Amino acid sequence: MNMKSKDIALIITWIALIIASFFYDKEILYFIQSLKNPLFDFIFLGLHYLASWVSVFLLFSLYFIVKDRKKLKKFVVSYLITMFLVLLLKNFVGRERPNGLDMKSFPSGHSAAVFSALNFVSEKYVRYWVFISVLVMISRVYLGDHYMSDALAGAFIGYFFTRITASLLSKKL
């Protein structure tokens, strides 16, 4: 993978956002949850189900089965490796969720899933997928499943780890 100065700047910015949000996680959580209303409840709960790991995997797999089998292999392998890394981190870090349900808050798997898929979205649709992906990150905080630093870290891992893995696989497939 060729690292351009644009990529390095994006990585540094993203890491700075993760670190900064970690210090303000509770304030961000309280602010986002103060916006609760029936319309947002409906939208963000819908995004919760649509952006699950399995949904994203199936959606993109079906698309590539029809379009491009080589790209499908790259997507499936890099996506599964990335999601395995997310599961390992969740169990290793053991951060409690804001809602107190378990100790698997960091990083957000939903955010990782949608940002992982961003690597495979065509240029024509990338801005729509970015919009959806950001809404998914916000939904994780809105629903009380994650802090913003969890969502940002999941997005970072999903995007960059999948990108690196897919790039390495390009040489082998």
Side-chain angles (χ1 to χ4, degrees):
M1 178 179 140
N2 288 336
M3 290 294 280
K4 301 172 189 162
S5 59
K6 183 175 90 175
D7 293 329
I8 294 168
L10 182 60
I11 290 169
I12 291 169
T13 303
W14 211 319
I15 290 171
L17 280 172
I18 293 167
I19 292 168
S21 69
F22 185 77
F23 290 106
Y24 296 100
D25 269 340
K26 288 192 177 170
E27 290 81 1
I28 296 168
L29 175 75
Y30 298 146
F31 171 73
I32 291 176
Q33 289 190 335
S34 75
L35 304 173
K36 283 199 176 266
N37 66 63
L39 177 62
F40 286 170
D41 290 351
F42 176 77
I43 291 169
F44 289 137
L45 197 57
L47 282 171
H48 166 76
Y49 291 110
L50 289 174
S52 75
W53 303 9
V54 175
S55 299
V56 172
F57 180 73
L58 290 175
L59 170 74
F60 275 81
S61 294
L62 288 173
Y63 173 76
F64 292 128
I65 286 169
V66 175
K67 276 287 220 198
D68 183 343
R69 292 200 189 273
K70 188 174 181 182
K71 203 172 185 181
L72 172 64
K73 285 180 188 177
K74 248 188 351 184
F75 169 71
V76 170
V77 173
S78 60
Y79 182 84
L80 291 176
I81 290 170
T82 299
M83 298 317 291
F84 181 70
L85 173 65
V86 167
L87 283 173
L88 287 176
L89 283 170
K90 281 179 173 292
N91 288 298
F92 179 75
V93 174
R95 184 177 192 194
E96 185 176 5
R97 293 181 185 268
N99 59 20
L101 291 179
D102 63 36
M103 300 296 282
K104 295 183 180 178
S105 186
F106 185 91
S108 166
H110 283 75
S111 295
V114 292
F115 275 88
S116 178
L118 184 60
N119 289 285
F120 297 92
V121 174
S122 75
E123 282 293 317
K124 185 176 172 183
Y125 300 109
V126 76
R127 76 182 117 170
Y128 303 113
W129 195 258
V130 167
F131 178 73
I132 290 167
S133 298
V134 169
L135 284 179
V136 167
M137 279 189 353
I138 294 168
S139 79
R140 307 313 297 144
V141 178
Y142 181 88
L143 296 171
D145 291 325
H146 292 282
Y147 294 104
M148 185 55 77
S149 60
D150 303 335
L152 286 167
F156 179 84
I157 292 165
Y159 181 76
F160 285 105
F161 196 78
T162 299
R163 186 171 165 190
I164 292 166
T165 307
S167 177
L168 294 172
L169 289 171
S170 292
K171 297 169 186 163
K172 294 190 187 318
L173 294 178

